[in-house]
Amino acid sequence: MQTINILQTPIEYLKGVGPIKADLLKKELGIFVYEDLLNHFPYRHIDKTVITPISSLNYQMEYVQVIGKIIDIDVLGDKRTKRLIAELADNSGATIELTWFQGINWIQKNIHAGNTYLVFGRLNFFNGKPQIIHPEIEVVNQLNVSPKNYLEPVYPTTEKLKARGLSGRQLGILTQQLLSIIKSEHIVENIPLSLLQQLKLLTRYEAYCAIHFPETLVQYETALRRLKFEELFIAQVRLNLIKLRRHKASRGVVFSKVGEYFNTFYNEYLPFQLTNAQKKVIREIRKDTAQGHQMNRLLQGDVGSGKTMVALLAMLLAADNGFQSCMMAPTEILAQQHFESISVLLKNMPVEIALLTGSTKTAERKRILKGLQEDTIHFIVGTHAIIEDAVQFKNLGLAIIDEQHRFGVEQRARLWKKATVPPHILVMTATPIPRTLAMTAYGDLDYSIMDELPPGRKPVITLYRNEMERAGVMDFVKKEIDKGRQAYFIYPLIEESEKLSYEDLMQGYEQVKSFFPEPNYKISMVHGKQPPDQKELNMQRFVNHDTQIMVSTTVIEVGVNVPNATVMVIESSEKFGLSQLHQLRGRVGRGSEQSFCILLTGSKTSAEAKERIKIMCETNNGFVIAEKDLELRGPGEIEGTRQSGALNFKLASIVNDKQMLEVARKAAETLVEEDIELTLPENHNLKWYLQQSKSKTGWGKIS
């Protein structure tokens, strides 16, 4: 296709660029070829479509364009107060003052009384008289010049480019030059015609012309809508192709029946009624595992929603069908907790379960490896020790990964290789992911949401207190400890400095000790500088109730389960992000007693930090919090986001364009389900576009 040729032309060949400017454009803005310049969008437009008579200027106007003759030029003041003032009069009989504080010598040489000028700039009023400071000014021949018939674009640029004469306006001249040589056939349409008509979208060529040089603001908005939709739609088509191909092409072991293990446990040993959310997820897992394709399901459950129980039931389902299961957690303490809680639940069942971590003793390790190879061990819980080559299964059918963003893709891939047919995958996370983010970052996985608390759990009460109220907070913690409960004190990790964090923590530790003196109170301390075994020991002392207070940095965040801990005090809570505060709060409220989270702040708190604290006090719903976090921080910084290019949108925003994302997702799903190979004539251009586009995420497979 000739299309590719012109848009892939190196930028130095565009009239007005040349090799020196081309080098700068490549380094500063990543503009290598014509197509890159086309996709460098303006961030605002200047309206020079109207020329206003000076007599009609008023305080409501911001930028104005006038035309008239200079009737007077004067230089006033000296040194710092030096300024050049020119008076411009037009046919309406009124005058406007033009003022320059810089470049006065140059202006004096180039502007002459008696000449006619077209002037544009931001309107001010000084002592009731209209004035423009540092206006744009060009000499014209007569007073009846027609204004421009389009809005003038201003582009993002850099200081280095400005120094070389490539300001935001100069880039506009280059873009105009480019659009003059590009025809509609050069810009391939990548949205099927029926969808364009249904959604009343501009064609791709019209949208590019109108986003750069619109005649009106409405036309610009229409172009923006089309190009935003395209970004979201293409991303969703990609994700849906991966997902459907996996559903259709991947092989997976079949869990055909619900048998003895599952039914016995469900009917006789289930400690509490399952929530509706848990039941729904188990139905989804049953359906996924019965079809002969590999399950890839992301299970998001808010803190304490009972994900471990769902994982256990899935493992029993695997055992009923003659398959082994493994469960991988990011830390030893978390693996240990999963192992203990599952062992207690299964104590009366004829199921063999083992724990494998870095500190498993050699003899026990040998026993486990043998048991896995001979299929006498049904379930194994562990850290990434499970993916070591020595660990071989006879019949692995299900792999469960907890807190998935802690594991790299390669680590997960090593699990697949432990079975001839890849095992079913259940990925669990307690970090609620906003729906819009899940649709873009995890759109290739099937995902389930659990947003109910199991019966008997009380929502944590969250309170905000200022530094000045510390004594009252300490008294409250004392009362809870006197009732036999335990408490956490959490200090922020200061990104820039480990030393500062450590000093902060030590200071905090001393402060806590002064309120809770030994031997009446025992305190554990955990931080990143400790050797792993010491950290582990201090955690275990708290877990086993040998200490009543845990002073820690955020290493405590994920998974530690101490049902007896009912108070968490978060120091300098203004320094934490929303999701992190919510994760931390989830460490309390794990038993049947009422729990409390107290957010302490310093005396100076920014408006954004106040907003975060307000949200925390208002809701315990992790999904509401995740949505708010996304609004406050944007998608790039949210932990666990896969930096997969799914979020590298130039125009669309998953925060502000939620409705459009929903429409794009539905349209992409329908299209891919009807034509997975994109062979229908109306999808040819889309297929070609996906093959050509740079971010090749397995697009070679689109034959």
Side-chain angles (χ1 to χ4, degrees):
M1 279 191 181
Q2 86 180 94
T3 22
I4 193 82
N5 300 343
I6 190 159
L7 289 182
Q8 294 310 313
T9 309
I11 196 70
E12 44 265 44
Y13 294 111
L14 184 65
K15 190 177 168 196
V17 180
I20 294 170
K21 284 183 178 167
D23 267 359
L24 274 170
L25 286 170
K26 288 172 193 173
K27 279 182 195 141
E28 295 289 302
L29 296 174
I31 294 174
F32 290 85
V33 294
Y34 286 6
E35 187 175 25
D36 299 330
L37 182 61
L38 200 58
N39 285 309
H40 186 65
F41 299 112
Y43 65 93
R44 69 182 178 97
H45 286 84
I46 290 171
D47 188 353
K48 292 187 179 176
T49 60
V50 179
I51 293 173
T52 310
I54 296 173
S55 58
S56 308
L57 298 178
N58 63 56
Y59 287 89
Q60 269 71 51
M61 297 175 177
E62 190 178 9
Y63 284 92
V64 295
Q65 183 168 244
V66 294
I67 194 167
K69 274 190 179 153
I70 296 242
I71 52 173
D72 187 30
I73 299 176
D74 209 357
V75 176
L76 304 174
D78 60 355
K79 289 185 184 164
R80 284 190 169 183
T81 60
K82 192 174 177 184
R83 61 199 183 280
L84 184 145
I85 292 176
E87 199 158 352
L88 183 93
D90 71 356
N91 291 339
S92 70
T95 63
I96 185 169
E97 212 170 74
L98 311 178
T99 307
W100 288 267
F101 294 97
Q102 285 156 349
I104 292 174
N105 295 345
W106 189 88
I107 301 288
Q108 268 180 308
K109 282 180 199 152
N110 289 283
I111 285 182
H112 307 288
N115 285 357
T116 303
Y117 294 93
L118 184 64
V119 175
F120 177 85
R122 187 192 283 268
L123 180 66
N124 296 301
F125 281 85
F126 183 65
N127 292 337
K129 188 172 168 57
Q131 175 194 50
I132 298 176
I133 296 171
H134 287 257
E136 288 173 25
I137 184 162
E138 60 179 292
V139 68
V140 288
N141 303 332
Q142 72 275 13
L143 281 168
N144 57 355
V145 170
S146 29
K148 287 185 171 160
N149 61 352
Y150 60 84
L151 304 181
E152 194 177 296
V154 183
Y155 294 86
T157 183
T158 68
E159 289 307 319
K160 275 189 185 168
L161 287 174
K162 281 182 193 163
R164 291 296 175 91
L166 283 172
S167 66
R169 310 286 295 287
Q170 276 0 88
L171 290 171
I173 294 166
L174 294 180
T175 308
Q176 203 165 18
Q177 172 64 27
L178 175 61
L179 283 169
S180 71
I181 54 177
I182 287 178
K183 306 284 176 284
S184 60
E185 63 269 19
H186 297 140
I187 295 181
V188 176
E189 185 50 74
N190 53 13
I191 296 178
L193 190 61
S194 56
L195 190 57
L196 279 183
Q197 290 166 342
Q198 181 196 330
L199 297 173
K200 300 187 171 62
L201 295 173
L202 294 179
T203 67
R204 204 157 172 244
Y205 174 71
E206 288 167 341
Y208 271 113
C209 294
I211 197 161
H212 289 289
F213 296 98
E215 287 173 20
T216 62
L217 215 48
V218 172
Q219 196 186 38
Y220 168 76
E221 295 291 346
T222 316
L224 187 62
R225 179 172 164 259
R226 146 72 212 220
L227 292 171
K228 277 184 174 185
F229 180 81
E230 175 185 313
E231 284 188 329
L232 296 168
F233 175 71
I234 295 292
Q236 290 298 316
V237 167
R238 289 202 160 123
L239 291 167
N240 275 286
L241 281 171
I242 295 174
K243 185 159 141 184
L244 269 179
R245 290 237 156 90
R246 195 189 67 237
H247 281 211
K248 291 206 163 68
S250 73
R251 284 170 63 218
V253 293
V254 178
F255 295 174
S256 56
K257 61 175 184 191
V258 178
E260 188 83 6
Y261 289 125
F262 188 99
N263 288 328
T264 307
F265 180 78
Y266 194 88
N267 297 323
E268 295 177 28
Y269 303 118
L270 196 65
F272 50 74
Q273 269 288 156
L274 293 184
T275 63
N276 289 329
Q278 284 173 312
K279 287 178 185 166
K280 180 171 162 284
V281 176
I282 289 159
R283 281 198 299 275
E284 289 168 342
I285 291 171
R286 275 229 49 210
K287 190 173 167 222
D288 285 353
T289 53
Q291 295 181 341
H293 298 300
Q294 186 194 22
M295 166 173 87
N296 261 298
R297 190 165 280 282
L298 171 69
L299 170 57
Q300 304 180 56
D302 208 344
V303 178
S305 58
K307 294 183 295 296
T308 312
M309 184 55 76
V310 169
L312 173 57
L313 288 164
M315 287 154 84
L316 290 166
L317 183 64
D320 275 334
N321 290 278
F323 291 99
Q324 294 164 293
S325 302
C326 71
M327 186 175 192
M328 201 155 88
T331 64
E332 281 207 14
I333 195 155
L334 204 48
Q336 179 90 38
Q337 283 185 349
H338 281 313
F339 173 71
E340 282 166 10
S341 59
I342 291 172
S343 300
V344 169
L345 289 164
L346 296 178
K347 65 176 184 290
N348 299 320
M349 298 269 302
V351 178
E352 178 73 23
I353 171 170
L355 172 71
L356 183 65
T357 68
S359 53
T360 304
K361 299 280 185 285
T362 314
E364 172 67 354
R365 177 180 292 264
K366 274 191 182 151
R367 185 190 75 79
I368 291 173
L369 297 184
K370 187 167 182 277
L372 290 173
Q373 277 174 332
E374 293 173 356
D375 199 8
T376 53
I377 293 178
H378 300 83
F379 305 156
I380 177 127
V381 178
T383 54
H384 35 281
I386 293 179
I387 54 181
E388 286 165 11
D389 294 337
V391 182
Q392 294 299 327
F393 294 81
K394 182 165 186 195
N395 216 353
L396 181 64
L398 172 68
I400 295 167
I401 297 166
D402 195 18
E403 288 308 328
Q404 84 104 26
H405 56 270
R406 304 282 171 118
F407 293 105
V409 179
E410 292 92 272
Q411 286 177 310
R412 298 205 300 272
R414 282 167 66 184
L415 269 178
W416 299 189
K417 297 186 183 124
K418 295 194 180 287
T420 22
V421 176
H424 294 299
I425 307 296
L426 179 66
V427 162
M428 305 198 298
T429 177
T431 313
I433 303 163
R435 181 176 161 67
T436 46
L437 194 59
M439 270 158 48
T440 39
Y442 294 94
D444 56 328
L445 296 174
D446 301 298
Y447 60 97
S448 305
I449 287 175
M450 297 200 329
D451 47 9
E452 290 176 70
L453 284 182
R457 288 271 179 95
K458 295 174 183 159
V460 178
I461 293 173
T462 306
L463 307 162
Y464 163 58
R465 294 290 180 266
N466 187 304
E467 175 62 45
M468 310 307 286
E469 303 166 272
R470 178 178 296 278
V473 171
M474 294 304 193
D475 287 342
F476 176 74
V477 175
K478 255 186 195 146
K479 281 182 189 148
E480 284 292 299
I481 291 176
D482 292 345
K483 290 181 194 166
R485 317 256 194 272
Q486 288 164 280
Y488 293 99
F489 281 84
I490 306 292
Y491 290 82
L493 272 175
I494 299 164
E495 297 276 315
E496 311 84 71
S497 158
E498 206 177 316
K499 186 166 171 282
L500 263 179
S501 298
Y502 183 66
E503 283 169 7
D504 241 33
L505 181 72
M506 284 315 183
Q507 223 177 332
Y509 177 64
E510 292 304 327
Q511 195 174 27
V512 172
K513 252 172 49 179
S514 66
F515 278 99
F516 299 96
E518 291 180 313
N520 302 349
Y521 299 95
K522 291 197 171 60
I523 305 175
S524 284
M525 180 165 57
V526 173
H527 57 81
K529 275 190 164 180
Q530 289 171 335
D533 47 352
Q534 191 191 345
K535 196 187 300 179
E536 203 72 32
L537 179 75
N538 288 352
M539 286 245 207
Q540 282 302 352
R541 287 178 64 214
F542 187 66
V543 170
N544 300 335
H545 203 168
D546 299 336
T547 59
Q548 300 107 316
I549 296 170
M550 161 76 82
V551 175
S552 162
T553 54
T554 48
V555 286
I556 203 78
E557 200 175 314
V558 171
V560 182
N561 188 16
V562 184
N564 190 47
T566 58
V567 190
M568 172 167 288
V569 178
I570 302 179
E571 296 274 358
S572 307
S573 54
E574 71 275 14
K575 292 180 182 166
F576 290 86
L578 248 184
S579 284
Q580 204 177 20
L581 286 172
H582 178 65
Q583 283 289 310
L584 288 165
R585 173 169 65 184
R587 300 299 110 228
V588 291
R590 301 179 83 82
S592 51
E593 301 300 335
Q594 180 63 63
S595 290
F596 303 88
C597 175
I598 301 167
L599 305 175
L600 263 175
T601 64
S603 43
K604 287 187 182 142
T605 314
S606 71
E608 200 179 301
K610 281 183 181 145
E611 175 69 12
R612 289 198 293 269
I613 287 163
K614 179 169 169 275
I615 294 162
M616 283 294 294
C617 294
E618 281 170 2
T619 179
N620 276 304
N621 183 324
F623 293 93
V624 172
I625 285 169
E627 286 287 350
K628 287 283 184 196
D629 201 22
L630 186 62
E631 282 168 32
L632 291 172
R633 290 201 298 169
E637 297 176 42
I638 290 193
E639 186 182 23
T641 310
R642 303 201 294 185
Q643 305 301 340
S644 60
L647 303 174
N648 299 345
F649 298 132
K650 284 196 158 183
L651 298 168
S653 147
I654 63 172
V655 177
N656 305 325
D657 301 314
K658 285 182 191 166
Q659 277 174 305
M660 195 185 280
L661 173 58
E662 203 55 73
V663 174
R665 185 179 67 99
K666 287 199 177 115
E669 273 177 4
T670 308
L671 180 136
V672 172
E673 271 167 23
E674 287 170 2
D675 182 19
I676 190 169
E677 294 303 326
L678 305 181
T679 47
L680 292 176
E682 83 153 358
N683 294 334
H684 276 179
N685 279 359
L686 171 62
K687 181 175 181 171
W688 184 84
Y689 177 80
L690 288 173
Q691 284 171 330
Q692 297 303 322
S693 62
K694 289 177 187 144
S695 44
K696 299 269 194 288
T697 17
W699 299 112
K701 290 181 195 147
I702 303 178
S703 50

